[in-house]
């Protein structure tokens, strides 16, 4: 063994981090970004706080699987209750400084079976179907799309349903104006198994399900800007891909059904 490396091994974590080379400093920054990404996307797989010694041990892990096993070891050793308290205190300090704090997603233990997690998520979606906010995807634009854009829409719907079910207060999703024998539903059944999801799939129009006064169509070309979220309203999103359909058709449909149309204030986003 190299005596210099043995000497570095005997240093404390803080001392070793202060003596990192430029290459190791870049590796440390990459590991910190990886840790932040894993925590904010799946907070149950990594601890919130890491000491200098822990960062040094992560630098010694050459592969992603080795880092995953080390994170699992830390989770078994650390007190998760104190770790969550530290995360809340950190969020409060960042909020007081005027920064926007991302919402922490409540995640179940990674050691629970998938069946248990699925039942837990379905229970919350069932609660949302009665007491929660409703969102509608208008699936009547299939005739304007080809197979490539339908596949792109299927990917987007998969991401939406996955993100929605793990949020703290999920929406209950409705697929309205669907064609049971169309290409879109056949792809959804084969790729994301929508028949097993806690969503409402119907060939009925949203006008037959909800009062017209509660409906709001989200259209990029709408004149009125959305300034706040109303949990009692039912928001409609056109189930289409922008490359295949003129956005004015969504606006025309909202005017045809005399539904209020809103657009997001994206021009204010830096």
């Amino acid at each position: 063994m190299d005596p210099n490396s043995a000497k570095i091994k005997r240093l404390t974590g803080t001392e070793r981090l202060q003596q990192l080379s430029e290459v190791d400093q870049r590796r440390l920054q990459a590991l910190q970004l990886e840790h932040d990404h894993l925590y904010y996307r799946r907070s149950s797989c990594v601890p919130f706080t890491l000491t200098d010694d822990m960062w040094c041990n992560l630098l010694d892990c050459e592969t992603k699987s080795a880092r995953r096993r080390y994170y699992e070891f830390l989770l078994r050793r650390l007190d998760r209750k104190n770790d969550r308290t530290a995360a809340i205190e950190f969020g409060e300090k960042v909020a007081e400084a005027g920064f926007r704090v991302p919402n922490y997603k409540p995640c179940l233990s990674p050691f629970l079976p998938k069946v248990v997690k699925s039942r837990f998520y379905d229970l919350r979606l069932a609660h949302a179907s009665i007491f929660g906010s409703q969102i509608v995807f208008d699936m009547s634009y299939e005739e304007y799309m080809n197979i490539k854009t339908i596949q792109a829409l299927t990917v987007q719907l998969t991401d939406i349903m996955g993100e929605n079910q793990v949020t703290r207060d999920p929406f209950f999703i409705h697929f309205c104006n669907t064609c049971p024998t169309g290409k879109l539903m056949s792809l959804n059944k084969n790729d994301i198994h929508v028949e097993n999801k806690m969503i409402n799939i119907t060939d009925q129009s949203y006008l037959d399900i909800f009062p017209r006064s509660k409906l709001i169509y989200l259209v990029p070309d709408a004149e009125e800007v959305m300034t706040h979220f109303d949990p009692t309203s039912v928001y409609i999103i056109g189930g289409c891909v922008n490359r295949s359909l003129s956005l004015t058709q969504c606006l025309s449909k909202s005017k045809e059904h005399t539904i209020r149309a809103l657009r997001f204030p994206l021009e204010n986003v830096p």
Side-chain angles (χ1 to χ4, degrees), residues 134-148:
Q134 314 287 312
I135 191 168
V136 174
F137 287 91
D138 185 4
M139 315 299 283
S140 61
Y141 301 97
E142 182 178 350
E143 58 180 315
Y144 302 102
M145 296 188 290
N146 54 34
I147 185 63
K148 182 176 295 186

Side-chain angles (χ1 to χ4, degrees), residues 24-41:
D24 289 337
Q25 287 178 359
R26 289 195 293 267
R27 284 192 61 221
L28 179 62
Q29 293 176 355
L31 291 175
Q32 291 172 344
L33 290 175
E34 180 188 60
H35 170 269
D36 293 342
H37 174 76
L38 290 173
Y39 183 82
Y40 289 125
R41 293 300 299 269

Side-chain angles (χ1 to χ4, degrees), residues 82-218:
N82 294 337
D83 194 55
R84 175 60 65 177
T85 303
I88 295 175
E89 292 177 353
F90 172 77
E92 292 176 350
K93 291 180 181 179
V94 174
E96 291 176 358
F99 296 99
R100 183 180 178 183
V101 183
N103 293 326
Y104 300 112
K105 298 179 180 179
C107 298
L108 298 179
S109 171
F111 306 106
L112 290 178
K114 291 184 178 180
V115 176
V116 177
K117 295 182 181 180
S118 178
R119 289 177 180 174
F120 171 77
Y121 293 139
D122 287 345
L123 181 62
R124 293 201 306 180
L125 291 173
H127 182 272
S129 66
I130 303 175
F131 305 104
S133 300
Q134 314 287 312
I135 191 168
V136 174
F137 287 91
D138 185 4
M139 315 299 283
S140 61
Y141 301 97
E142 182 178 350
E143 58 180 315
Y144 302 102
M145 296 188 290
N146 54 34
I147 185 63
K148 182 176 295 186
T149 53
I150 290 177
Q151 290 175 345
L153 177 61
T154 302
V155 173
Q156 295 179 16
L157 293 175
T158 304
D159 294 338
I160 289 171
M161 288 188 292
E163 292 291 333
N164 180 67
Q165 73 173 358
V166 299
T167 56
R168 187 169 301 170
D169 296 315
F171 289 90
F172 187 73
I173 298 176
H174 301 263
F175 287 175
C176 293
N177 297 320
T178 59
C179 179
T181 59
K183 295 180 180 179
L184 180 59
M185 287 309 301
S186 63
L187 280 177
N188 287 336
K189 288 181 180 179
N190 295 331
D191 295 345
I192 58 180
H193 307 286
V194 291
E195 69 276 6
N196 298 328
K197 303 293 184 180
M198 185 66 70
I199 59 177
N200 179 28
I201 305 175
T202 177
D203 57 357
Q204 289 183 303
S205 172
Y206 39 78
L207 297 173
D208 301 328
I209 303 175
F210 303 102
R212 192 187 303 267
S213 59
K214 289 188 175 182
L215 296 176
I216 296 177
Y217 217 117
L218 297 177

